[in-house]
Amino acid sequence: MTPDLLWALGMGLLGAVVFAAIGLVSGTDETSTLAPVTLLVVLLGVPPAGVLTFFIAGAVSKHMTHAIPTTLLGIPGDTTAVPLLDDATALRRLGAPHIALRKALAGGLVAALIAVPVAVGVASLLAPLAGPIKTVAPFVFGAAAIFVGYFSPGRWASVAAIVPFALLVTGLNTVATDQLDKSLSISFFLGIAIGPLVVDLLIASSRSRRRTLERTGPRPFWLAPDGGTGRRWIPNPLRILDGRQTAATAAAAGVTSTTFMLSPVAATVLAGEITGSRIKHPYRRLTTLMAVKNGTTESTYLAETLIPLVAFGLPLSPVAAGPAAALFNAPPVYTVKGADGGVHNLHTLLSSWQFLVFSLLGVVIAGLVVYPFAMRYARAASGWVARRISHEALIGAFVALIAVVAWYEGGPLALAVSLTVGAVGGLANRLLGMTSGVQFMAYYVAVLLVPIVLG
């Protein structure tokens, strides 16, 4: 085996195991978990093949296990699982939560296997445009920020907030450059990722707002029964889905794998509405939607990572600018604007064939390791996590990791920048619906476009 393949296998297995476990804990957002851990992997010097496989295996695994609390506990596993909640709840009331889970898992695996070759193929077709896009990259980021902001929950409020947020980043970066003789990037990235957590801490310390977070006791949960999965260790997803469900999932995955500007949540809702409108029977509609929606989440996530990465090397999508940002920009290892003004990241370090092979390897590892585990031990794992794992402790561990990485970049000033950006970004997210994806795009506007405008 070549060194790249060994690194890919090892890191893919690590990513699958780690994020399969994290996905079991409801409410663990990808931006605050997948993003900082991937950043740490990059900064530790893991080769590009290992970094890519780690991220793909981790993302696919988390999207498999996030279906477990969504279907069995009625609690969304993360933000991208929210569109599945209503259909999962309806099936749980019908006494078929195990069916909902199996359909979601099978749909996710089928969509992931389709998404990777389609996304890499589309990226290869768009690659000839990479030169002109890189030339006008600052203005492309401005247009992309407006586009992503318009399709976020805040819509025009998010668009309007891009300018003040970009100016905040510019001002803080100017102060950091004066004090440290270098600009910061990782600290801004981490601050945006932990924004909602910082806001919750601020609210908890506020006498007037603390009551909104108070709880009278442990949160109760009701765990649905297990329906069994048969004798096969790896249940065939094409047998779990019937022919029409497989076709609907494959069609949704094929179409959404060609796009990279819509958010995964928006694409999932849209695919669900189109598919559901064509099915009259309630039970068939619900089970089909579980497969199509979870599959669309998977395909959109992979496409929004791979198309900008392979074609341009610039984070021109909500996922690329958020959870996958470390694959594009993680100074000093990866940059979107190096000393020569060019891109230096996975885009320049891996070929299209390597993207295809190592991305498929990440999906296969998740399919061999996490898919059968989620099928067979979902109920037992959910019960153990709900009883024994503290959500607050897990989030606290990620906050500690983020603090260490920020301190590594610039000491106490960098940590202060992360907390400042987190507080402002978290409030903008909570009050205006300005998601972390919009904020990441605003960061790139501040770094690339504002100096030209003020210049």
Side-chain angles (χ1 to χ4, degrees):
M1 288 189 182
T2 64
D4 279 349
L5 184 57
L6 287 173
W7 272 106
L9 288 170
M11 295 305 297
L13 182 61
L14 178 63
V17 171
V18 169
F19 285 100
I22 292 173
L24 291 170
V25 183
S26 59
T28 49
D29 182 69
E30 293 97 337
T31 304
S32 59
T33 55
L34 188 58
V37 176
T38 304
L39 175 63
L40 181 63
V41 168
V42 173
L43 295 179
L44 288 174
V46 174
V51 172
L52 178 64
T53 312
F54 175 87
F55 180 87
I56 297 296
V60 173
S61 298
K62 192 177 189 307
H63 289 148
M64 286 184 179
T65 55
H66 82 182
I68 296 176
T70 305
T71 55
L72 299 188
L73 296 176
I75 306 170
D78 52 36
T79 306
T80 54
V82 171
L84 282 70
L85 191 58
D86 289 343
D87 304 310
T89 301
L91 283 169
R92 194 170 64 256
R93 290 173 178 169
L94 292 174
H98 56 292
I99 300 297
L101 176 62
R102 296 180 73 191
K103 297 290 186 181
L105 292 173
L109 183 58
V110 169
L113 291 171
I114 293 172
V116 169
V118 172
V120 173
V122 170
S124 298
L125 294 176
L126 293 176
L129 301 175
I133 286 179
K134 290 177 184 177
T135 302
V136 296
F139 304 98
V140 171
F141 272 107
I146 294 173
F147 183 87
V148 174
Y150 180 77
F151 284 99
S152 70
R155 189 149 291 197
W156 288 116
S158 296
V159 173
I162 290 172
V163 173
F165 193 87
L167 292 177
L168 171 69
V169 171
T170 302
L172 291 174
N173 210 15
T174 301
V175 173
T177 303
D178 290 341
Q179 297 297 318
L180 303 174
D181 293 327
K182 66 175 183 178
S183 61
L184 298 177
S185 59
I186 294 174
S187 300
F188 289 103
F189 166 75
L190 296 174
I192 295 171
I194 63 171
L197 305 179
V198 174
V199 169
D200 283 343
L201 290 175
L202 291 175
I203 292 175
S205 64
S206 169
R207 185 166 59 180
S208 62
R209 296 289 296 170
R210 187 181 303 148
R211 294 179 181 178
T212 61
L213 299 178
E214 289 181 356
R215 300 291 182 269
T216 57
R219 182 175 185 173
F221 66 93
W222 293 268
L223 191 57
D226 196 346
T229 58
R231 296 181 178 180
R232 289 177 176 267
W233 170 247
I234 303 179
N236 186 347
L238 299 181
R239 291 188 176 183
I240 293 172
L241 304 176
D242 62 32
R244 292 184 178 179
Q245 291 171 342
T246 301
T249 302
V255 172
T256 55
S257 297
T258 64
T259 62
F260 62 97
M261 292 302 292
L262 286 176
S263 72
V265 173
T268 300
V269 171
L270 181 61
E273 290 178 352
I274 294 174
T275 303
S277 66
R278 299 172 178 273
I279 305 173
K280 303 302 181 183
H281 192 279
Y283 179 78
R284 176 171 289 278
R285 182 174 64 253
L286 290 173
T287 53
T288 302
L289 286 178
M290 289 303 300
V292 171
K293 285 186 175 182
N294 203 46
T296 301
T297 298
E298 203 74 84
S299 59
T300 309
Y301 218 84
L302 293 174
E304 291 197 11
T305 300
L306 291 173
I307 293 177
L309 191 59
V310 177
F312 314 120
L314 300 172
L316 296 175
S317 77
V319 174
L327 304 181
F328 296 84
N329 195 48
V333 183
Y334 300 151
T335 59
V336 294
K337 187 179 181 182
D340 59 351
V343 169
H344 177 75
N345 51 34
L346 294 186
H347 171 74
T348 56
L349 298 173
L350 296 175
S351 66
S352 297
W353 279 107
Q354 287 175 310
F355 275 109
L356 177 62
V357 170
F358 293 128
S359 297
L360 279 176
L361 180 61
V363 173
V364 170
I365 290 173
L368 294 176
V369 176
V370 181
Y371 173 73
F373 165 81
M375 282 286 192
R376 289 186 167 273
Y377 302 110
R379 189 180 191 280
S382 293
W384 187 84
V385 168
R387 294 187 184 97
R388 302 294 181 87
I389 300 297
S390 167
H391 177 78
E392 291 79 7
L394 183 65
I395 296 301
F398 278 101
V399 171
L401 171 63
I402 288 168
V404 169
V405 175
W407 192 281
Y408 159 81
E409 186 184 32
L413 179 58
L415 182 58
V417 166
S418 289
L419 293 176
T420 302
V421 172
V424 175
L427 288 171
N429 193 336
R430 183 71 60 85
L431 299 178
L432 303 179
M434 186 185 188
T435 63
S436 58
V438 184
Q439 293 174 29
F440 278 115
M441 297 304 292
Y443 164 76
Y444 288 109
V445 169
V447 172
L448 300 175
L449 182 59
V450 170
I452 296 175
V453 174
L454 299 180

